[in-house]
Amino acid sequence: MTDNIRYCLTRGHLRPAILAIAVTFYCVMPAVGQYPAASVGAGQSSALAGSVPSGPASDEILRLTLRDAIIRGLRYNLATIEGGENAQIARGQRLLALSNLLPQVSAGASETVQQVNLGTLGLSGLNVPGIPTIVGPFSYSSVDASISQTLFSYEFIQRFRAARTAEQAAQLSYQDILDVVTLTVGNAYLQIIEASSRIQAQEAQVQNARALYDRAVDQVQAGTAPRIDATRTAVQLHTEEYSLSIARNKFEVAKLALGRAIGLPLGQQFELADTLPYSEITPLTVDDALNIAYKSRSDFRSALNSQKAAAQTLSAAKGERYPTVAANGDYGDIGPTFGNSHGDFTFQAGIRVPLFTGGRIKGEITQAESALRQRKSEAENIRGQIDQDVRTALLNLNAAKEQVAVAKQNVELANENLARSKDRFTSGVTDSVEVVQAEQALASANDQYITSLYNHNFSKLSLARALGVARTSYNQYLGGK
């Protein structure tokens, strides 16, 4: 991107119809706002902007490539961390559901010392010879083991299947978060490149304004120009210096935003190692892009799994009306001592059929049916969102490509117009007004060219996100080391 700007700032070929092209460019250049950062909710957007800082800062300036930034973001970004933990929570819920289908085994040993007051049992008034009022103290030892097993429960089987499918949905949702984090980090990286390019362009404007001011002062001192020319060019110089200060501040703020998103150590100084110059990609047809997106988008696959899990939960709620078969037993060895003990055991098997639950099962079925309809609606909504994302990304990419071409030509023409205005001013044919206006036109053209380059790169990254391949293929769309 920087090399392209330097090229346009130094061109000097004469082209006709400068004003006509400039007016046309103003009409076709869209606002940056038409390229949204990501289609995420407020909570997720807040998490995407946050991270967990990765240790203390070093004294060396870190050279950060796009690949390094994305790797750090995928590791330390708060949305990534929370998404991974949510997947672990879903795994825990699957294990809990599985435990209802597996045997429950426990074992224990105990040593008991006891003394009994028969008076508390209503025997104090018997006064039977040989039966003391206080019995004990006496002791006994025991060791036992027990096992219980649900032999058949359609409800538990379906709830386990639902939990397993929900875990798969959570894993896919985590993969989708990684894709969104890639888009977020890539966009932050592009914004720093854009801010750096604006500084370079603005520095060139300051140099032009200073040269014009010096020339005006010389002419005023020589008596060949009125003092108003020196005053006018001084105002222009200060205006350009003011804009340069703003550009430098925005550059530093953009660096802070990237460092925050990827979890850099607090206060760590870094510089970008990639410039990501303009490069075109092989265009896709809408049908091909949609086919790729429906297969690759993890959020859509997660929504389908969530829908499947809701259907299994509904089946489990209906399964509460079915009989449940269970068995349990225990075996123990008890006696005054382990050497003088005897075994005892219990075994029980049975079937239980719910006859009346007061409407509880009906209520759970009603809730599950409603949840299933919600999941179906959400899946269809994401299907429509993917269609919109893909079509929007392709439109933005095509528009950005056209805008880069127009903006590049406009910068060349603005440079040539400024050069001619300077020559006319030096020759005394015109005053400084024309030169100042030419400088302002060049500043506007540079600003639009930088914006068009940013929009083109971000459009390519947005297309990768819309296709669901941002994390795995961002370098094919943006380049970088």
Side-chain angles (χ1 to χ4, degrees), residues 283-302:
L284 293 171
T285 65
V286 174
D287 291 338
D288 289 342
L290 288 174
N291 288 334
I292 294 174
Y294 288 134
K295 294 177 182 178
S296 302
R297 282 281 288 261
S298 296
D299 53 347
F300 181 56
R301 294 161 60 200
S302 175

Side-chain angles (χ1 to χ4, degrees), residues 43-44 47 78-94 163 166-175 177 302:
Q44 189 179 12
L78 183 59
T80 300
I81 295 173
E82 291 183 345
E85 295 304 323
N86 287 334
Q88 288 299 310
I89 291 173
R91 181 176 183 272
Q93 292 173 341
R94 176 183 63 81
E167 181 189 10
Q168 296 170 353
Q171 289 289 346
L172 289 169
S173 180
Y174 174 62
Q175 296 298 320
I177 289 174
S302 175

Side-chain angles (χ1 to χ4, degrees), residues 132-416:
T133 304
I134 303 299
V135 179
F138 59 92
S139 63
Y140 61 91
S141 303
S142 67
V143 59
D144 65 89
S146 63
I147 182 172
S148 61
Q149 168 74 63
T150 299
L151 300 179
F152 175 78
S153 173
Y154 185 79
E155 175 195 355
F156 288 167
I157 293 173
Q158 290 301 102
R159 291 197 184 280
F160 167 68
R161 291 175 176 172
R164 182 176 58 189
T165 306
E167 181 189 10
Q168 296 170 353
Q171 289 289 346
L172 289 169
S173 180
Y174 174 62
Q175 296 298 320
D176 182 66
I177 289 174
L178 297 182
D179 230 37
V180 177
V181 168
T182 301
L183 174 66
T184 301
V185 174
N187 182 41
Y189 201 95
L190 292 174
Q191 288 178 340
I192 296 178
I193 295 176
E194 179 193 24
S196 176
S197 299
R198 292 189 188 280
I199 290 177
Q200 295 185 22
Q202 193 58 42
E203 286 174 343
Q205 288 297 115
V206 170
Q207 292 176 2
N208 287 335
R210 181 173 289 112
L212 178 62
Y213 170 71
D214 292 340
R215 187 176 302 171
V217 170
D218 291 343
Q219 290 180 347
V220 169
Q221 292 176 349
T224 59
R227 181 166 295 277
I228 186 63
D229 281 343
T231 303
R232 185 183 296 116
T233 54
V235 171
Q236 179 66 17
L237 173 59
H238 295 322
T239 300
E240 299 297 348
E241 290 175 338
Y242 177 81
S243 299
L244 177 59
S245 176
I246 294 176
R248 287 172 174 168
N249 180 68
K250 289 183 177 180
F251 173 72
E252 295 299 330
V253 171
K255 290 179 65 177
L256 289 175
L258 176 62
R260 184 77 179 95
I262 64 177
L264 281 181
L266 302 181
Q268 176 66 56
Q269 297 298 314
F270 70 93
E271 60 184 21
L272 301 190
D274 292 336
T275 57
L276 303 179
Y278 177 81
S279 63
E280 298 183 10
I281 60 174
T282 303
L284 293 171
T285 65
V286 174
D287 291 338
D288 289 342
L290 288 174
N291 288 334
I292 294 174
Y294 288 134
K295 294 177 182 178
S296 302
R297 282 281 288 261
S298 296
D299 53 347
F300 181 56
R301 294 161 60 200
S302 175
L304 293 178
N305 273 1
S306 295
Q307 177 182 328
K308 181 179 178 181
Q312 291 167 332
T313 301
L314 173 60
S315 181
K318 294 178 179 179
E320 292 185 49
R321 289 177 172 154
Y322 299 163
T324 301
V325 181
N328 62 79
D330 64 80
Y331 180 85
D333 193 66
I334 187 170
T337 63
F338 286 116
N340 185 19
S341 61
H342 196 277
D344 60 355
F345 66 89
T346 302
F347 176 78
Q348 183 180 25
I351 183 172
R352 181 172 295 277
V353 180
L355 300 178
F356 178 73
T357 60
R360 176 182 60 82
I361 296 178
K362 177 62 177 177
E364 292 183 0
I365 291 175
T366 301
Q367 290 180 338
E369 289 174 340
S370 179
L372 176 58
R373 289 192 294 268
Q374 287 179 333
R375 301 294 87 78
K376 287 182 178 179
S377 299
E378 290 168 357
E380 288 305 308
N381 174 65
I382 294 179
R383 184 192 300 273
Q385 185 64 52
I386 290 175
D387 183 89
Q388 178 184 353
D389 290 347
V390 169
R391 294 178 187 274
T392 300
L394 290 174
L395 288 172
N396 287 342
L397 181 59
N398 291 331
K401 180 180 177 181
E402 296 174 357
Q403 291 154 15
V404 169
V406 175
K408 184 176 181 180
Q409 186 181 31
N410 199 38
V411 170
E412 293 176 357
L413 296 176
N415 270 297
E416 294 167 6

